Amino acid sequence: MTIDLDELDRRILNALQEDAAQTNFQLAEHVHASPPTCLRRVKRLVEAGVITRQVAILAPEKLGPALTAIVEITLDQQGDERQVEFEELVATEPAVLQCYRVSPGPDFVLMVQVADMPAYHALAHRLFATHKNVRNVRSYFSIHRSKFETRIAV
């Protein structure tokens, strides 16, 4: 279900996507609204599920070695129940940052981040090789990230 957004809602969402750590007062100044109005609007956007959470985005290159893999998964049986089963499996794995059902082509595309190739091998064995419904795994390894964005145009 979508929610109707007015211009103020859009300004608030854009400002929060730029910097969710700003105070309500700073946000109100930024979007040209009163602090109580901003507080009410943000609360409504959270309650409506438009804002699902506020997080810190880390710089992986500052945290040590990391290997990013884009992984295509094809299942043997593609029924909805089997796809949900696979989604539940990868949802428990911290190294899987994103999981998408896709069409056409493979059934899933995963974004994975691990420390190195041995860590990827262990993850691949744990999630894919031992899962009886995984038919094919195709992995691509990032050699350079030229763009990373979390912003959604509103």
Side-chain angles (χ1 to χ4, degrees):
M1 177 175 92
T2 61
I3 181 172
D4 288 330
L5 302 173
D6 65 15
E7 185 56 35
L8 178 57
D9 291 327
R10 292 179 200 290
R11 289 195 315 265
I12 289 170
L13 290 171
N14 282 319
L16 289 175
Q17 286 186 100
E18 189 66 36
D19 180 7
Q22 60 189 308
T23 67
N24 183 60
F25 184 78
Q26 291 168 321
L27 177 63
E29 279 187 339
H30 187 89
V31 301
H32 309 292
S34 71
T37 297
C38 267
L39 199 57
R40 277 194 309 276
R41 293 291 186 111
V42 170
K43 183 179 180 197
R44 181 178 71 87
L45 292 166
V46 169
E47 289 172 352
V50 174
I51 299 172
T52 57
R53 59 188 170 152
Q54 296 179 17
V55 299
I57 298 174
L58 308 180
E61 68 277 4
K62 304 285 186 183
L63 300 173
L67 177 66
T68 302
I70 299 98
V71 183
E72 296 178 352
I73 303 293
T74 303
L75 301 179
D76 258 342
Q77 300 170 0
Q78 288 89 10
D80 192 54
E81 186 176 300
R82 300 306 302 252
Q83 289 184 346
V84 168
E85 177 185 285
F86 183 78
E87 288 169 334
E88 289 171 351
L89 171 70
V90 298
T92 64
E93 178 58 54
V96 176
L97 304 179
Q98 299 172 40
C99 175
Y100 300 93
R101 279 192 204 187
V102 296
S103 180
D107 298 308
F108 293 93
V109 173
L110 309 178
M111 297 298 292
V112 173
Q113 187 154 17
V114 291
D116 51 25
M117 193 54 80
Y120 177 77
H121 185 270
L123 174 131
H125 180 73
R126 189 170 58 252
L127 289 183
F128 314 138
T130 59
H131 193 280
K132 63 184 176 227
N133 195 36
V134 172
R135 178 178 31 179
N136 190 39
V137 178
R138 188 173 193 179
S139 302
Y140 304 88
F141 299 98
S142 172
I143 57 171
H144 174 71
R145 179 172 82 174
S146 61
K147 181 176 182 181
F148 174 82
E149 185 63 58
T150 61
R151 174 183 293 275
I152 296 173
V154 289

